Amino acid sequence: MLASLRPAIVTTVFFTLLLGVAYPLAVTGVSQLLFPWQAGGSLIRSGGQVIGSELIGQTFAKAEYLHSRPSAAGTNGYDASASSGSNLGPLNPDLIKREGDSAKAVGADRPGTPVPADALTTSASGLDPHITPDYAAFQVARVAQARGVKASEVEAVIAANTEGRTLGVLGQPRVNVLKVNLALDARYPVRHAPAA
């Protein structure tokens, strides 16, 4: 019986080693060699510390920063270990309430101005680091006032950090919130009064 099973065992071990060990190691090695930035997580560092990734959003609440879109990933949002959308249907009362509350809070910055959809809705993963140029423009006045600079200066930083369509045709233009906020901090730092 063992003699008849030997070819199946050898084949199983061979393909396990080939596809379960050798192939993943080869793909990892090639990606590290050819695309080290992407393979390493596209990590952004400041002062020698990792402060975020180009690929994963994070929450910004201070007035001097662009705010990210809402996130349904985890209890406080942007939890990569709990990546998901809310999975609430468009008629779900919880979703309607959350979006209504968000519309009031976000709309307080610019009363009477329509609030961009991505200011109210979560992405499918809950981790999207981008917002639309419309949502970024919606926030310019608040950010400029909080930093004590002209709106045109904030607009220039946003424009410099707006990414076009992938390969010129895929997706929509987008603004990476973390990159804009870092650029704003570098060009127009906010000087807070020392704590008493």
mmCIF file of all heavy atoms in Angstrom, residues 25-82:
data_model
loop_
_atom_site.group_PDB
_atom_site.id
_atom_site.type_symbol
_atom_site.label_atom_id
_atom_site.label_comp_id
_atom_site.label_asym_id
_atom_site.label_seq_id
_atom_site.Cartn_x
_atom_site.Cartn_y
_atom_site.Cartn_z
ATOM 1 N N LEU A 25 8.990 32.834 -1.457
ATOM 2 C CA LEU A 25 10.311 33.428 -1.216
ATOM 3 C C LEU A 25 10.822 34.144 -2.458
ATOM 4 O O LEU A 25 11.400 35.238 -2.365
ATOM 5 C CB LEU A 25 11.307 32.357 -0.769
ATOM 6 C CG LEU A 25 11.127 31.843 0.658
ATOM 7 C CD1 LEU A 25 12.095 30.686 0.927
ATOM 8 C CD2 LEU A 25 11.325 32.953 1.673
ATOM 9 N N ALA A 26 10.601 33.564 -3.633
ATOM 10 C CA ALA A 26 11.048 34.191 -4.876
ATOM 11 C C ALA A 26 10.290 35.496 -5.131
ATOM 12 O O ALA A 26 10.886 36.521 -5.473
ATOM 13 C CB ALA A 26 10.857 33.231 -6.048
ATOM 14 N N VAL A 27 8.985 35.473 -4.947
ATOM 15 C CA VAL A 27 8.182 36.686 -5.160
ATOM 16 C C VAL A 27 8.594 37.771 -4.170
ATOM 17 O O VAL A 27 8.752 38.938 -4.528
ATOM 18 C CB VAL A 27 6.675 36.372 -5.054
ATOM 19 C CG1 VAL A 27 5.847 37.646 -4.996
ATOM 20 C CG2 VAL A 27 6.237 35.509 -6.217
ATOM 21 N N THR A 28 8.796 37.399 -2.917
ATOM 22 C CA THR A 28 9.225 38.367 -1.902
ATOM 23 C C THR A 28 10.585 38.942 -2.245
ATOM 24 O O THR A 28 10.796 40.157 -2.173
ATOM 25 C CB THR A 28 9.261 37.704 -0.506
ATOM 26 O OG1 THR A 28 7.950 37.216 -0.198
ATOM 27 C CG2 THR A 28 9.702 38.687 0.560
ATOM 28 N N GLY A 29 11.516 38.081 -2.639
ATOM 29 C CA GLY A 29 12.856 38.552 -2.999
ATOM 30 C C GLY A 29 12.856 39.479 -4.203
ATOM 31 O O GLY A 29 13.501 40.533 -4.190
ATOM 32 N N VAL A 30 12.116 39.123 -5.239
ATOM 33 C CA VAL A 30 12.039 39.958 -6.441
ATOM 34 C C VAL A 30 11.395 41.298 -6.121
ATOM 35 O O VAL A 30 11.862 42.355 -6.555
ATOM 36 C CB VAL A 30 11.285 39.224 -7.572
ATOM 37 C CG1 VAL A 30 10.953 40.166 -8.709
ATOM 38 C CG2 VAL A 30 12.110 38.045 -8.078
ATOM 39 N N SER A 31 10.310 41.279 -5.336
ATOM 40 C CA SER A 31 9.640 42.544 -5.004
ATOM 41 C C SER A 31 10.539 43.428 -4.147
ATOM 42 O O SER A 31 10.583 44.646 -4.346
ATOM 43 C CB SER A 31 8.303 42.293 -4.310
ATOM 44 O OG SER A 31 8.482 41.662 -3.065
ATOM 45 N N GLN A 32 11.284 42.843 -3.207
ATOM 46 C CA GLN A 32 12.218 43.625 -2.390
ATOM 47 C C GLN A 32 13.327 44.216 -3.242
ATOM 48 O O GLN A 32 13.774 45.335 -3.008
ATOM 49 C CB GLN A 32 12.824 42.763 -1.272
ATOM 50 C CG GLN A 32 11.876 42.426 -0.163
ATOM 51 C CD GLN A 32 11.590 43.601 0.748
ATOM 52 O OE1 GLN A 32 12.272 44.605 0.753
ATOM 53 N NE2 GLN A 32 10.528 43.463 1.539
ATOM 54 N N LEU A 33 13.752 43.478 -4.249
ATOM 55 C CA LEU A 33 14.829 43.932 -5.123
ATOM 56 C C LEU A 33 14.351 45.009 -6.092
ATOM 57 O O LEU A 33 15.001 46.047 -6.245
ATOM 58 C CB LEU A 33 15.396 42.735 -5.902
ATOM 59 C CG LEU A 33 16.575 43.020 -6.821
ATOM 60 C CD1 LEU A 33 17.795 43.414 -6.004
ATOM 61 C CD2 LEU A 33 16.881 41.798 -7.666
ATOM 62 N N LEU A 34 13.211 44.794 -6.755
ATOM 63 C CA LEU A 34 12.741 45.715 -7.785
ATOM 64 C C LEU A 34 11.889 46.869 -7.252
ATOM 65 O O LEU A 34 11.876 47.951 -7.832
ATOM 66 C CB LEU A 34 11.946 44.949 -8.845
ATOM 67 C CG LEU A 34 12.711 43.876 -9.613
ATOM 68 C CD1 LEU A 34 11.787 43.170 -10.595
ATOM 69 C CD2 LEU A 34 13.901 44.477 -10.341
ATOM 70 N N PHE A 35 11.150 46.624 -6.174
ATOM 71 C CA PHE A 35 10.238 47.638 -5.634
ATOM 72 C C PHE A 35 10.398 47.746 -4.120
ATOM 73 O O PHE A 35 9.470 47.486 -3.366
ATOM 74 C CB PHE A 35 8.780 47.278 -5.964
ATOM 75 C CG PHE A 35 8.533 47.011 -7.419
ATOM 76 C CD1 PHE A 35 8.390 45.713 -7.884
ATOM 77 C CD2 PHE A 35 8.459 48.053 -8.331
ATOM 78 C CE1 PHE A 35 8.159 45.461 -9.223
ATOM 79 C CE2 PHE A 35 8.233 47.810 -9.670
ATOM 80 C CZ PHE A 35 8.086 46.510 -10.124
ATOM 81 N N PRO A 36 11.566 48.136 -3.628
ATOM 82 C CA PRO A 36 11.792 48.133 -2.179
ATOM 83 C C PRO A 36 10.853 49.065 -1.401
ATOM 84 O O PRO A 36 10.425 48.735 -0.306
ATOM 85 C CB PRO A 36 13.250 48.563 -2.031
ATOM 86 C CG PRO A 36 13.587 49.250 -3.308
ATOM 87 C CD PRO A 36 12.730 48.623 -4.360
ATOM 88 N N TRP A 37 10.515 50.235 -1.954
ATOM 89 C CA TRP A 37 9.633 51.179 -1.266
ATOM 90 C C TRP A 37 8.245 50.566 -1.068
ATOM 91 O O TRP A 37 7.702 50.551 0.037
ATOM 92 C CB TRP A 37 9.550 52.469 -2.080
ATOM 93 C CG TRP A 37 8.513 53.437 -1.617
ATOM 94 C CD1 TRP A 37 7.309 53.688 -2.219
ATOM 95 C CD2 TRP A 37 8.556 54.272 -0.467
ATOM 96 N NE1 TRP A 37 6.607 54.629 -1.515
ATOM 97 C CE2 TRP A 37 7.355 55.013 -0.428
ATOM 98 C CE3 TRP A 37 9.479 54.466 0.543
ATOM 99 C CZ2 TRP A 37 7.063 55.925 0.567
ATOM 100 C CZ3 TRP A 37 9.189 55.391 1.536
ATOM 101 C CH2 TRP A 37 8.008 56.104 1.544
ATOM 102 N N GLN A 38 7.671 50.017 -2.145
ATOM 103 C CA GLN A 38 6.339 49.442 -2.067
ATOM 104 C C GLN A 38 6.328 48.165 -1.229
ATOM 105 O O GLN A 38 5.417 47.947 -0.436
ATOM 106 C CB GLN A 38 5.800 49.144 -3.469
ATOM 107 C CG GLN A 38 5.542 50.376 -4.300
ATOM 108 C CD GLN A 38 6.769 50.834 -5.104
ATOM 109 O OE1 GLN A 38 7.902 50.473 -4.793
ATOM 110 N NE2 GLN A 38 6.534 51.636 -6.134
ATOM 111 N N ALA A 39 7.329 47.320 -1.405
ATOM 112 C CA ALA A 39 7.384 46.055 -0.667
ATOM 113 C C ALA A 39 7.562 46.285 0.828
ATOM 114 O O ALA A 39 7.150 45.466 1.643
ATOM 115 C CB ALA A 39 8.508 45.179 -1.202
ATOM 116 N N GLY A 40 8.172 47.414 1.175
ATOM 117 C CA GLY A 40 8.375 47.740 2.585
ATOM 118 C C GLY A 40 7.184 48.432 3.222
ATOM 119 O O GLY A 40 7.251 48.857 4.370
ATOM 120 N N GLY A 41 6.088 48.607 2.497
ATOM 121 C CA GLY A 41 4.885 49.201 3.058
ATOM 122 C C GLY A 41 4.714 50.673 2.767
ATOM 123 O O GLY A 41 3.831 51.316 3.315
ATOM 124 N N SER A 42 5.580 51.259 1.926
ATOM 125 C CA SER A 42 5.502 52.686 1.588
ATOM 126 C C SER A 42 5.438 53.545 2.844
ATOM 127 O O SER A 42 4.605 54.445 2.966
ATOM 128 C CB SER A 42 4.303 52.964 0.684
ATOM 129 O OG SER A 42 4.377 52.185 -0.482
ATOM 130 N N LEU A 43 6.331 53.241 3.785
ATOM 131 C CA LEU A 43 6.325 53.921 5.081
ATOM 132 C C LEU A 43 6.903 55.324 4.981
ATOM 133 O O LEU A 43 7.917 55.557 4.326
ATOM 134 C CB LEU A 43 7.124 53.110 6.098
ATOM 135 C CG LEU A 43 6.626 51.684 6.341
ATOM 136 C CD1 LEU A 43 7.537 50.950 7.310
ATOM 137 C CD2 LEU A 43 5.208 51.690 6.857
ATOM 138 N N ILE A 44 6.258 56.257 5.651
ATOM 139 C CA ILE A 44 6.718 57.644 5.693
ATOM 140 C C ILE A 44 7.344 57.871 7.066
ATOM 141 O O ILE A 44 6.731 57.568 8.090
ATOM 142 C CB ILE A 44 5.549 58.615 5.444
ATOM 143 C CG1 ILE A 44 4.991 58.391 4.038
ATOM 144 C CG2 ILE A 44 6.001 60.054 5.633
ATOM 145 C CD1 ILE A 44 3.763 59.206 3.724
ATOM 146 N N ARG A 45 8.544 58.429 7.059
ATOM 147 C CA ARG A 45 9.282 58.667 8.306
ATOM 148 C C ARG A 45 9.496 60.155 8.517
ATOM 149 O O ARG A 45 9.630 60.915 7.581
ATOM 150 C CB ARG A 45 10.632 57.959 8.269
ATOM 151 C CG ARG A 45 10.530 56.460 8.119
ATOM 152 C CD ARG A 45 11.917 55.808 7.956
ATOM 153 N NE ARG A 45 11.802 54.431 7.568
ATOM 154 C CZ ARG A 45 11.591 53.428 8.412
ATOM 155 N NH1 ARG A 45 11.500 53.667 9.680
ATOM 156 N NH2 ARG A 45 11.480 52.200 7.970
ATOM 157 N N SER A 46 9.555 60.521 9.766
ATOM 158 C CA SER A 46 9.887 61.895 10.134
ATOM 159 C C SER A 46 10.711 61.826 11.402
ATOM 160 O O SER A 46 10.290 61.210 12.381
ATOM 161 C CB SER A 46 8.612 62.715 10.362
ATOM 162 O OG SER A 46 8.932 64.022 10.752
ATOM 163 N N GLY A 47 11.878 62.441 11.377
ATOM 164 C CA GLY A 47 12.750 62.400 12.543
ATOM 165 C C GLY A 47 13.177 60.992 12.910
ATOM 166 O O GLY A 47 13.357 60.681 14.081
ATOM 167 N N GLY A 48 13.313 60.117 11.914
ATOM 168 C CA GLY A 48 13.736 58.743 12.158
ATOM 169 C C GLY A 48 12.627 57.813 12.629
ATOM 170 O O GLY A 48 12.864 56.630 12.846
ATOM 171 N N GLN A 49 11.410 58.324 12.795
ATOM 172 C CA GLN A 49 10.300 57.494 13.252
ATOM 173 C C GLN A 49 9.286 57.310 12.135
ATOM 174 O O GLN A 49 9.040 58.231 11.352
ATOM 175 C CB GLN A 49 9.586 58.138 14.433
ATOM 176 C CG GLN A 49 10.312 58.012 15.751
ATOM 177 C CD GLN A 49 9.399 58.489 16.872
ATOM 178 O OE1 GLN A 49 8.838 59.570 16.808
ATOM 179 N NE2 GLN A 49 9.255 57.672 17.903
ATOM 180 N N VAL A 50 8.682 56.134 12.081
ATOM 181 C CA VAL A 50 7.597 55.887 11.130
ATOM 182 C C VAL A 50 6.368 56.612 11.653
ATOM 183 O O VAL A 50 5.952 56.416 12.792
ATOM 184 C CB VAL A 50 7.311 54.374 10.989
ATOM 185 C CG1 VAL A 50 6.086 54.143 10.129
ATOM 186 C CG2 VAL A 50 8.515 53.663 10.415
ATOM 187 N N ILE A 51 5.799 57.475 10.809
ATOM 188 C CA ILE A 51 4.606 58.219 11.223
ATOM 189 C C ILE A 51 3.367 57.807 10.443
ATOM 190 O O ILE A 51 2.277 58.286 10.719
ATOM 191 C CB ILE A 51 4.829 59.738 11.109
ATOM 192 C CG1 ILE A 51 5.204 60.115 9.685
ATOM 193 C CG2 ILE A 51 5.858 60.209 12.095
ATOM 194 C CD1 ILE A 51 5.149 61.583 9.421
ATOM 195 N N GLY A 52 3.544 56.949 9.456
ATOM 196 C CA GLY A 52 2.404 56.499 8.674
ATOM 197 C C GLY A 52 2.851 55.812 7.409
ATOM 198 O O GLY A 52 4.039 55.570 7.193
ATOM 199 N N SER A 53 1.882 55.509 6.586
ATOM 200 C CA SER A 53 2.118 54.876 5.296
ATOM 201 C C SER A 53 1.346 55.640 4.241
ATOM 202 O O SER A 53 0.275 56.177 4.514
ATOM 203 C CB SER A 53 1.657 53.418 5.325
ATOM 204 O OG SER A 53 1.628 52.872 4.026
ATOM 205 N N GLU A 54 1.888 55.673 3.032
ATOM 206 C CA GLU A 54 1.165 56.269 1.916
ATOM 207 C C GLU A 54 -0.101 55.483 1.588
ATOM 208 O O GLU A 54 -0.988 55.990 0.921
ATOM 209 C CB GLU A 54 2.038 56.289 0.655
ATOM 210 C CG GLU A 54 3.047 57.374 0.609
ATOM 211 C CD GLU A 54 3.747 57.432 -0.743
ATOM 212 O OE1 GLU A 54 3.239 56.863 -1.724
ATOM 213 O OE2 GLU A 54 4.803 58.052 -0.801
ATOM 214 N N LEU A 55 -0.169 54.243 2.067
ATOM 215 C CA LEU A 55 -1.240 53.335 1.670
ATOM 216 C C LEU A 55 -2.367 53.198 2.679
ATOM 217 O O LEU A 55 -3.411 52.645 2.363
ATOM 218 C CB LEU A 55 -0.650 51.945 1.400
ATOM 219 C CG LEU A 55 0.524 51.906 0.421
ATOM 220 C CD1 LEU A 55 1.100 50.509 0.353
ATOM 221 C CD2 LEU A 55 0.090 52.395 -0.933
ATOM 222 N N ILE A 56 -2.154 53.649 3.919
ATOM 223 C CA ILE A 56 -3.160 53.481 4.966
ATOM 224 C C ILE A 56 -3.469 54.843 5.570
ATOM 225 O O ILE A 56 -2.580 55.548 6.035
ATOM 226 C CB ILE A 56 -2.677 52.502 6.055
ATOM 227 C CG1 ILE A 56 -2.445 51.124 5.442
ATOM 228 C CG2 ILE A 56 -3.687 52.429 7.192
ATOM 229 C CD1 ILE A 56 -1.905 50.098 6.388
ATOM 230 N N GLY A 57 -4.744 55.195 5.570
ATOM 231 C CA GLY A 57 -5.160 56.481 6.113
ATOM 232 C C GLY A 57 -5.058 56.517 7.615
ATOM 233 O O GLY A 57 -4.830 55.519 8.283
ATOM 234 N N GLN A 58 -5.212 57.704 8.144
ATOM 235 C CA GLN A 58 -5.253 57.899 9.579
ATOM 236 C C GLN A 58 -6.121 59.113 9.879
ATOM 237 O O GLN A 58 -6.400 59.921 9.002
ATOM 238 C CB GLN A 58 -3.853 58.038 10.176
ATOM 239 C CG GLN A 58 -2.980 59.073 9.523
ATOM 240 C CD GLN A 58 -1.555 59.012 10.046
ATOM 241 O OE1 GLN A 58 -1.297 59.490 11.121
ATOM 242 N NE2 GLN A 58 -0.658 58.424 9.291
ATOM 243 N N THR A 59 -6.546 59.222 11.116
ATOM 244 C CA THR A 59 -7.451 60.294 11.502
ATOM 245 C C THR A 59 -6.679 61.559 11.833
ATOM 246 O O THR A 59 -5.686 61.519 12.543
ATOM 247 C CB THR A 59 -8.281 59.861 12.729
ATOM 248 O OG1 THR A 59 -8.984 58.668 12.393
ATOM 249 C CG2 THR A 59 -9.258 60.928 13.142
ATOM 250 N N PHE A 60 -7.161 62.688 11.326
ATOM 251 C CA PHE A 60 -6.652 64.006 11.681
ATOM 252 C C PHE A 60 -7.843 64.819 12.154
ATOM 253 O O PHE A 60 -8.840 64.924 11.454
ATOM 254 C CB PHE A 60 -5.999 64.694 10.476
ATOM 255 C CG PHE A 60 -4.719 64.057 10.038
ATOM 256 C CD1 PHE A 60 -4.716 63.085 9.057
ATOM 257 C CD2 PHE A 60 -3.517 64.424 10.615
ATOM 258 C CE1 PHE A 60 -3.540 62.486 8.655
ATOM 259 C CE2 PHE A 60 -2.335 63.837 10.226
ATOM 260 C CZ PHE A 60 -2.341 62.863 9.238
ATOM 261 N N ALA A 61 -7.768 65.402 13.342
ATOM 262 C CA ALA A 61 -8.906 66.134 13.896
ATOM 263 C C ALA A 61 -8.629 67.623 14.084
ATOM 264 O O ALA A 61 -9.562 68.405 14.193
ATOM 265 C CB ALA A 61 -9.313 65.515 15.228
ATOM 266 N N LYS A 62 -7.364 68.028 14.151
ATOM 267 C CA LYS A 62 -7.054 69.434 14.392
ATOM 268 C C LYS A 62 -7.444 70.292 13.193
ATOM 269 O O LYS A 62 -7.374 69.858 12.045
ATOM 270 C CB LYS A 62 -5.570 69.607 14.692
ATOM 271 C CG LYS A 62 -5.151 68.991 16.004
ATOM 272 C CD LYS A 62 -3.678 69.243 16.275
ATOM 273 C CE LYS A 62 -3.265 68.650 17.609
ATOM 274 N NZ LYS A 62 -1.830 68.828 17.849
ATOM 275 N N ALA A 63 -7.814 71.535 13.477
ATOM 276 C CA ALA A 63 -8.285 72.457 12.437
ATOM 277 C C ALA A 63 -7.226 72.747 11.389
ATOM 278 O O ALA A 63 -7.553 73.018 10.232
ATOM 279 C CB ALA A 63 -8.759 73.761 13.074
ATOM 280 N N GLU A 64 -5.959 72.689 11.748
ATOM 281 C CA GLU A 64 -4.891 73.041 10.804
ATOM 282 C C GLU A 64 -4.549 71.926 9.822
ATOM 283 O O GLU A 64 -3.664 72.073 8.986
ATOM 284 C CB GLU A 64 -3.620 73.476 11.541
ATOM 285 C CG GLU A 64 -2.974 72.400 12.383
ATOM 286 C CD GLU A 64 -3.328 72.485 13.856
ATOM 287 O OE1 GLU A 64 -4.378 73.059 14.194
ATOM 288 O OE2 GLU A 64 -2.543 71.963 14.663
ATOM 289 N N TYR A 65 -5.224 70.798 9.923
ATOM 290 C CA TYR A 65 -4.954 69.671 9.036
ATOM 291 C C TYR A 65 -6.146 69.376 8.130
ATOM 292 O O TYR A 65 -7.297 69.591 8.503
ATOM 293 C CB TYR A 65 -4.651 68.410 9.844
ATOM 294 C CG TYR A 65 -3.338 68.462 10.577
ATOM 295 C CD1 TYR A 65 -3.284 68.396 11.958
ATOM 296 C CD2 TYR A 65 -2.138 68.590 9.884
ATOM 297 C CE1 TYR A 65 -2.078 68.436 12.638
ATOM 298 C CE2 TYR A 65 -0.929 68.641 10.553
ATOM 299 C CZ TYR A 65 -0.904 68.564 11.923
ATOM 300 O OH TYR A 65 0.286 68.625 12.577
ATOM 301 N N LEU A 66 -5.835 68.825 6.956
ATOM 302 C CA LEU A 66 -6.897 68.230 6.146
ATOM 303 C C LEU A 66 -7.434 67.046 6.936
ATOM 304 O O LEU A 66 -6.673 66.295 7.543
ATOM 305 C CB LEU A 66 -6.352 67.711 4.813
ATOM 306 C CG LEU A 66 -6.097 68.686 3.683
ATOM 307 C CD1 LEU A 66 -5.725 67.920 2.419
ATOM 308 C CD2 LEU A 66 -7.267 69.596 3.426
ATOM 309 N N HIS A 67 -8.726 66.867 6.917
ATOM 310 C CA HIS A 67 -9.331 65.727 7.602
ATOM 311 C C HIS A 67 -9.560 64.608 6.589
ATOM 312 O O HIS A 67 -9.891 64.856 5.432
ATOM 313 C CB HIS A 67 -10.647 66.133 8.246
ATOM 314 C CG HIS A 67 -10.467 67.128 9.355
ATOM 315 N ND1 HIS A 67 -11.516 67.756 9.958
ATOM 316 C CD2 HIS A 67 -9.355 67.608 9.964
ATOM 317 C CE1 HIS A 67 -11.080 68.569 10.895
ATOM 318 N NE2 HIS A 67 -9.754 68.507 10.909
ATOM 319 N N SER A 68 -9.380 63.389 7.044
ATOM 320 C CA SER A 68 -9.586 62.205 6.211
ATOM 321 C C SER A 68 -11.070 61.917 6.096
ATOM 322 O O SER A 68 -11.885 62.456 6.841
ATOM 323 C CB SER A 68 -8.881 61.002 6.834
ATOM 324 O OG SER A 68 -7.516 61.270 7.034
ATOM 325 N N ARG A 69 -11.405 61.011 5.190
ATOM 326 C CA ARG A 69 -12.797 60.570 5.103
ATOM 327 C C ARG A 69 -13.084 59.652 6.288
ATOM 328 O O ARG A 69 -12.164 59.111 6.899
ATOM 329 C CB ARG A 69 -13.048 59.877 3.769
ATOM 330 C CG ARG A 69 -12.332 58.556 3.588
ATOM 331 C CD ARG A 69 -12.509 57.975 2.209
ATOM 332 N NE ARG A 69 -13.912 57.758 1.922
ATOM 333 C CZ ARG A 69 -14.383 57.402 0.735
ATOM 334 N NH1 ARG A 69 -13.558 57.212 -0.267
ATOM 335 N NH2 ARG A 69 -15.668 57.235 0.542
ATOM 336 N N PRO A 70 -14.336 59.453 6.642
ATOM 337 C CA PRO A 70 -14.651 58.552 7.756
ATOM 338 C C PRO A 70 -14.166 57.128 7.481
ATOM 339 O O PRO A 70 -14.014 56.731 6.324
ATOM 340 C CB PRO A 70 -16.180 58.590 7.825
ATOM 341 C CG PRO A 70 -16.608 59.768 7.045
ATOM 342 C CD PRO A 70 -15.535 60.036 6.042
ATOM 343 N N SER A 71 -13.940 56.383 8.537
ATOM 344 C CA SER A 71 -13.487 54.999 8.401
ATOM 345 C C SER A 71 -14.342 54.093 9.283
ATOM 346 O O SER A 71 -14.632 54.427 10.424
ATOM 347 C CB SER A 71 -12.021 54.873 8.826
ATOM 348 O OG SER A 71 -11.635 53.520 8.892
ATOM 349 N N ALA A 72 -14.721 52.947 8.735
ATOM 350 C CA ALA A 72 -15.483 51.952 9.495
ATOM 351 C C ALA A 72 -14.585 50.800 9.941
ATOM 352 O O ALA A 72 -15.074 49.791 10.439
ATOM 353 C CB ALA A 72 -16.629 51.415 8.648
ATOM 354 N N ALA A 73 -13.271 50.956 9.772
ATOM 355 C CA ALA A 73 -12.332 49.883 10.131
ATOM 356 C C ALA A 73 -11.975 49.986 11.607
ATOM 357 O O ALA A 73 -11.193 50.842 12.012
ATOM 358 C CB ALA A 73 -11.082 49.965 9.271
ATOM 359 N N GLY A 74 -12.549 49.137 12.415
ATOM 360 C CA GLY A 74 -12.261 49.130 13.848
ATOM 361 C C GLY A 74 -13.112 50.135 14.599
ATOM 362 O O GLY A 74 -13.858 50.929 14.018
ATOM 363 N N THR A 75 -12.987 50.131 15.895
ATOM 364 C CA THR A 75 -13.790 50.986 16.762
ATOM 365 C C THR A 75 -13.537 52.465 16.517
ATOM 366 O O THR A 75 -14.463 53.267 16.464
ATOM 367 C CB THR A 75 -13.479 50.656 18.245
ATOM 368 O OG1 THR A 75 -13.657 49.256 18.438
ATOM 369 C CG2 THR A 75 -14.405 51.404 19.167
ATOM 370 N N ASN A 76 -12.267 52.846 16.365
ATOM 371 C CA ASN A 76 -11.918 54.257 16.184
ATOM 372 C C ASN A 76 -11.545 54.587 14.747
ATOM 373 O O ASN A 76 -11.068 55.679 14.471
ATOM 374 C CB ASN A 76 -10.769 54.634 17.124
ATOM 375 C CG ASN A 76 -11.157 54.477 18.577
ATOM 376 O OD1 ASN A 76 -12.254 54.850 18.969
ATOM 377 N ND2 ASN A 76 -10.283 53.893 19.364
ATOM 378 N N GLY A 77 -11.701 53.650 13.839
ATOM 379 C CA GLY A 77 -11.376 53.883 12.437
ATOM 380 C C GLY A 77 -9.911 53.666 12.125
ATOM 381 O O GLY A 77 -9.051 53.731 13.002
ATOM 382 N N TYR A 78 -9.639 53.397 10.869
ATOM 383 C CA TYR A 78 -8.296 53.200 10.335
ATOM 384 C C TYR A 78 -7.499 52.137 11.088
ATOM 385 O O TYR A 78 -6.293 52.244 11.258
ATOM 386 C CB TYR A 78 -7.531 54.524 10.266
ATOM 387 C CG TYR A 78 -8.154 55.450 9.263
ATOM 388 C CD1 TYR A 78 -8.922 56.527 9.655
ATOM 389 C CD2 TYR A 78 -8.030 55.207 7.907
ATOM 390 C CE1 TYR A 78 -9.536 57.353 8.727
ATOM 391 C CE2 TYR A 78 -8.627 56.018 6.967
ATOM 392 C CZ TYR A 78 -9.378 57.089 7.390
ATOM 393 O OH TYR A 78 -9.980 57.893 6.465
ATOM 394 N N ASP A 79 -8.167 51.085 11.547
ATOM 395 C CA ASP A 79 -7.513 49.951 12.196
ATOM 396 C C ASP A 79 -7.265 48.893 11.118
ATOM 397 O O ASP A 79 -8.198 48.232 10.665
ATOM 398 C CB ASP A 79 -8.409 49.400 13.304
ATOM 399 C CG ASP A 79 -7.799 48.209 14.024
ATOM 400 O OD1 ASP A 79 -6.714 47.735 13.620
ATOM 401 O OD2 ASP A 79 -8.419 47.750 15.001
ATOM 402 N N ALA A 80 -5.999 48.755 10.709
ATOM 403 C CA ALA A 80 -5.673 47.839 9.612
ATOM 404 C C ALA A 80 -6.009 46.389 9.935
ATOM 405 O O ALA A 80 -6.224 45.591 9.034
ATOM 406 C CB ALA A 80 -4.196 47.972 9.251
ATOM 407 N N SER A 81 -6.073 46.030 11.209
ATOM 408 C CA SER A 81 -6.422 44.650 11.558
ATOM 409 C C SER A 81 -7.931 44.399 11.475
ATOM 410 O O SER A 81 -8.369 43.268 11.610
ATOM 411 C CB SER A 81 -5.918 44.323 12.968
ATOM 412 O OG SER A 81 -6.623 45.072 13.937
ATOM 413 N N ALA A 82 -8.711 45.466 11.279
ATOM 414 C CA ALA A 82 -10.165 45.322 11.185
ATOM 415 C C ALA A 82 -10.678 45.969 9.908
ATOM 416 O O ALA A 82 -11.741 46.574 9.888
ATOM 417 C CB ALA A 82 -10.822 45.954 12.408
#
